[in-house]
């Protein structure tokens, strides 16, 4: 079960003053279809302005999104308690959000070989029902803008962080902050039009809004996280939590009592140390499917001097790696022993992020996206994770050869930098 967060960017209103209607071509293509001439785009008024978002750390980015609030205040006063609606008015709005998506991005995105349904939907609410106006095959820019203006259709881009660097940069940091996958969708809706029928999302939501232009939603990943802990423990606490939730009416007083009793048992056993929270599967699922770090490709391949015993080193991409201790089969007798896995997301595919595509088989993934060490290396790996800088000779391993081999293995995965 994966926990996730969703970002939604919604462009309406004055955004569409930039669009001019496509002109009909005088010449018809074979088959009688008319080719729409791409519209002319006015230069975005804020193209050269710097973003107001702060990327120094995941927490800094999140707080720059919810400013003037601080994250502590947000989680103590709003998270799972009450809605938060932040608006950016006047000149503050465009400078705050303009780098996320502009109408001029439509044409460049279409050149990426987008396909209807997989990447783009054309939708409109007609008589209270959703009407899909998609064509077959590749998305053409002219046809897209024609539907936008003439048919009052809304354009929905699925997971634009696959193509738009600024969204990749933002979502990668938010994934570090929340410890959950962060997906996004872009909706572009003409004035006096409706994309979808009235509906609601049964999750915790807060919205960041640039008046008349963009909306962001973040969905709370806490509920599935708690549910997984209970499901993993169902053999110890009796009736499964998901069975109570899914098979009975949530309005029933008896259902609520059973669920409350189950969660109390879980809480008591966790507090007393009788119940182990096995979240390794969730951690691995998150690492396997999250965005790779926002950086140039050369930083994701081994570079710099090879570590030597006299060097001081620093662990790289700490936010993109996890350390787990798991049983590993050894030899042909199927015997098991505990080993240390250092898993990371440096080799993840940005193009398949949040698209429901399995990136790699589990067995191969352990080899290509992580390292395996003996259990005796756990303390040394944790040393590197906890320290900003660490002389290799101070690693808590019995021999210099073991220290050097650990450093070389991490360096080969671009996880270690020699100072």
């Amino acid at each position: 079960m994966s926990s996730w967060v969703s970002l939604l960017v919604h462009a309406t209103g004055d955004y569409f003053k930039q669009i001019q209607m496509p002109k009909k071509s005088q010449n018809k293509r074979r088959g009688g279809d008319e080719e729409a001439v791409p519209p002319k785009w006015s230069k975005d008024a804020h193209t050269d302005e710097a973003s107001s978002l702060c990327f120094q750390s995941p927490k800094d980015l999140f707080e720059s999104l919810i400013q003037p609030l601080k994250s502590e205040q947000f989680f103590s006063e709003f998270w799972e308690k009450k809605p938060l609606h932040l608006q950016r008015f006047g000149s503050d709005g465009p400078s705050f959000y303009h780098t996320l998506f502009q109408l001029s991005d439509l044409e460049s995105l279409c050149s990426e070989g987008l396909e209807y349904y997989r990447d783009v939907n054309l939708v409109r609410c007609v008589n209270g029902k959703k009407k899909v106006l998609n064509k077959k095959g590749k998305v053409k820019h002219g046809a897209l803008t024609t539907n936008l203006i003439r048919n009052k259709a809304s354009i929905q881009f699925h997971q634009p962080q696959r193509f738009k660097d600024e969204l990749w940069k933002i979502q990668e940091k938010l994934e570090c902050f929340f410890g959950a996958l962060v997906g996004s969708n872009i909706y572009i809706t003409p004035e006096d039009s409706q994309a979808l029928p009235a509906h609601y999302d049964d999750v915790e939501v807060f919205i960041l809004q640039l008046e008349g232009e963009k909306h962001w939603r973040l969905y709370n990943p806490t509920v599935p996280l708690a549910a997984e802990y209970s499901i993993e423990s169902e053999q110890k606490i009796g009736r499964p939590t998901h069975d109570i939730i899914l098979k009975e009416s949530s309005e029933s007083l008896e259902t609520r009592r059973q669920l409350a009793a189950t969660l109390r048992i879980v809480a008591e056993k966790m507090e007393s140390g009788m119940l182990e929270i096995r979240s390794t599967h969730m951690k691995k699922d998150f690492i396997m499917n999250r965005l790779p770090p926002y950086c140039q490709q050369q930083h994701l391949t081994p570079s710099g001097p090879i570590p030597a015993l006299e060097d001081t080193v620093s662990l790289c991409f700490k936010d993109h790696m996890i350390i787990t201790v798991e049983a590993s089969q050894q030899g042909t007798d199927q015997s098991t022993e505990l080993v240390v896995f250092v898993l990371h997301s440096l080799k993840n595919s940005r193009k398949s992020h949040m698209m429901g595509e399995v990136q790699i088989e589990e067995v191969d993934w352990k080899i290509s996206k992580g390292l395996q060490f003996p259990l005796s290396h756990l303390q040394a790996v944790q040393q590197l994770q906890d320290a900003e800088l660490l002389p290799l000779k101070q690693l808590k391993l019995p021999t210099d050869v073991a220290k050097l081999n650990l450093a070389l293995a991490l360096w080969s995965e671009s996880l270690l930098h020699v100072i």
Side-chain angles (χ1 to χ4, degrees):
M1 180 185 300
S2 299
S3 57
W4 55 277
V5 176
S6 179
L7 246 102
L8 183 144
V9 181
H10 192 183
T12 60
D14 290 342
Y15 234 41
F16 294 91
K17 292 179 180 177
Q18 300 178 57
I19 296 184
Q20 296 179 9
M21 275 296 297
K23 297 178 181 179
K24 292 184 179 180
S25 171
Q26 297 299 318
N27 299 317
K28 293 187 177 180
R29 294 179 297 172
R30 292 179 182 177
D33 294 335
E34 293 182 347
E35 180 73 27
V37 178
K40 297 179 180 179
W41 306 93
S42 62
K43 186 175 180 180
D44 194 273
H46 300 278
T47 300
D48 298 325
E49 291 185 15
S51 171
S52 299
L53 302 177
C54 178
F55 292 92
Q56 291 186 359
S57 73
K59 182 179 179 181
D60 288 334
L61 172 62
F62 181 68
E63 290 189 340
S64 67
L65 285 170
I66 64 171
Q67 62 176 275
L69 270 66
K70 295 294 184 182
S71 58
E72 291 79 8
Q73 181 185 1
F74 171 77
F75 286 110
S76 65
E77 297 182 16
F78 294 96
W79 187 248
E80 297 185 314
K81 295 180 178 68
K82 58 184 178 181
L84 170 63
H85 186 194
L86 297 174
Q87 291 183 285
R88 312 294 177 190
F89 294 98
S91 60
D92 180 43
S95 65
F96 197 84
Y97 290 122
H98 79 275
T99 56
L100 300 185
F101 191 83
Q102 301 176 37
L103 280 172
S104 55
D105 292 328
L106 284 174
E107 189 168 7
S108 61
L109 277 173
C110 288
S111 68
E112 296 282 349
L114 302 181
E115 294 183 5
Y116 285 105
Y117 296 101
R118 185 194 71 183
D119 303 303
V120 172
N121 278 326
L122 283 167
V123 294
R124 187 182 179 192
C125 181
V126 179
N127 297 324
K129 296 183 179 181
K130 175 182 175 181
K131 183 177 182 180
V132 179
L133 304 175
N134 289 351
K135 299 180 181 295
K136 293 182 179 180
K138 301 291 183 182
V139 178
K140 293 186 178 180
H141 178 240
L144 206 61
T145 53
T146 296
N147 273 284
L148 184 71
I149 302 303
R150 291 181 181 161
N151 298 328
K152 294 285 186 178
S154 291
I155 301 173
Q156 178 194 27
F157 281 101
H158 297 303
Q159 309 304 332
Q161 72 277 4
R162 296 176 294 143
F163 310 105
K164 183 71 174 173
D165 285 355
E166 189 71 8
L167 288 172
W168 172 22
K169 186 178 180 181
I170 290 171
Q171 290 175 233
E172 180 254 320
K173 279 286 189 289
L174 288 177
E175 286 185 334
C176 292
F177 182 77
F178 282 98
L181 299 178
V182 177
S184 66
N185 280 297
I186 288 177
Y187 285 87
I188 303 176
T189 303
E191 286 184 304
D192 303 320
S193 182
Q194 182 178 343
L196 300 172
H199 67 287
Y200 70 95
D201 299 297
D202 189 18
V203 289
E204 294 286 337
V205 177
F206 76 86
I207 301 173
L208 299 175
Q209 177 180 351
L210 171 58
E211 186 181 28
E213 294 189 5
K214 301 186 177 103
H215 305 266
W216 289 40
R217 290 192 218 166
L218 290 172
Y219 294 88
N220 180 10
T222 305
V223 173
L225 184 66
E228 169 148 330
Y229 291 163
S230 300
I231 290 168
E232 287 186 346
S233 309
E234 62 190 47
Q235 298 301 321
K236 299 183 180 180
I237 63 177
R239 187 178 177 192
T241 305
H242 70 284
D243 186 62
I244 299 173
I245 295 173
L246 297 179
K247 294 185 179 180
E248 296 189 13
S249 170
S250 60
E251 300 301 320
S252 165
L253 178 59
E254 181 60 27
T255 299
R256 295 199 297 270
R257 285 175 175 170
Q258 290 184 44
L259 181 58
T262 300
L263 294 177
R264 274 195 293 271
I265 294 172
V266 173
E268 290 170 2
K269 289 185 178 291
M270 288 171 56
E271 192 172 38
S272 65
M274 296 172 60
L275 178 62
E276 178 186 359
I277 299 176
R278 298 186 300 276
S279 58
T280 298
H281 176 76
M282 288 187 68
K283 291 178 181 178
K284 289 167 61 177
D285 182 75
F286 171 51
I287 285 292
M288 182 171 66
N289 291 289
R290 66 169 302 184
L291 283 164
Y294 178 80
C295 61
Q296 298 298 320
Q297 182 60 39
Q298 59 264 28
H299 297 301
L300 302 180
T301 54
S303 61
I306 298 175
L309 280 173
E310 62 274 10
D311 288 331
T312 295
V313 297
S314 175
L315 205 60
C316 307
F317 302 111
K318 292 183 181 181
D319 287 335
H320 284 264
M321 60 181 289
I322 60 169
I323 301 170
T324 69
V325 177
E326 303 176 53
S328 177
Q329 291 185 348
Q330 300 291 331
T332 57
D333 60 353
Q334 301 297 306
S335 61
T336 62
E337 65 174 351
L338 292 178
V339 296
V340 177
F341 284 100
V342 177
L343 309 174
H344 62 82
S345 59
L346 272 62
K347 298 178 183 178
N348 285 5
S349 169
R350 175 190 175 192
K351 294 297 184 183
S352 63
H353 182 248
M354 296 297 289
M355 293 299 290
E357 301 171 12
V358 178
Q359 295 190 23
I360 196 163
E361 292 296 327
E362 178 73 10
V363 175
D364 295 334
W365 176 72
K366 286 184 178 180
I367 298 173
S368 66
K369 294 193 176 182
L371 299 166
Q372 178 179 328
F373 301 103
L375 188 60
S376 59
H377 284 50
L378 178 60
Q379 194 173 13
V381 174
Q382 290 174 335
Q383 272 185 280
L384 290 166
Q385 189 177 46
D386 294 339
E388 291 295 326
L389 301 174
L390 186 71
L392 273 184
K393 289 185 177 180
Q394 292 184 14
L395 283 176
K396 294 180 180 180
L397 287 169
T399 67
D400 287 345
V401 172
K403 295 174 184 178
L404 188 57
N405 285 342
L406 173 61
L408 287 171
L410 293 169
W411 178 85
S412 70
E413 291 285 295
S414 302
L415 295 174
L416 196 74
H417 176 64
V418 176
I419 306 303

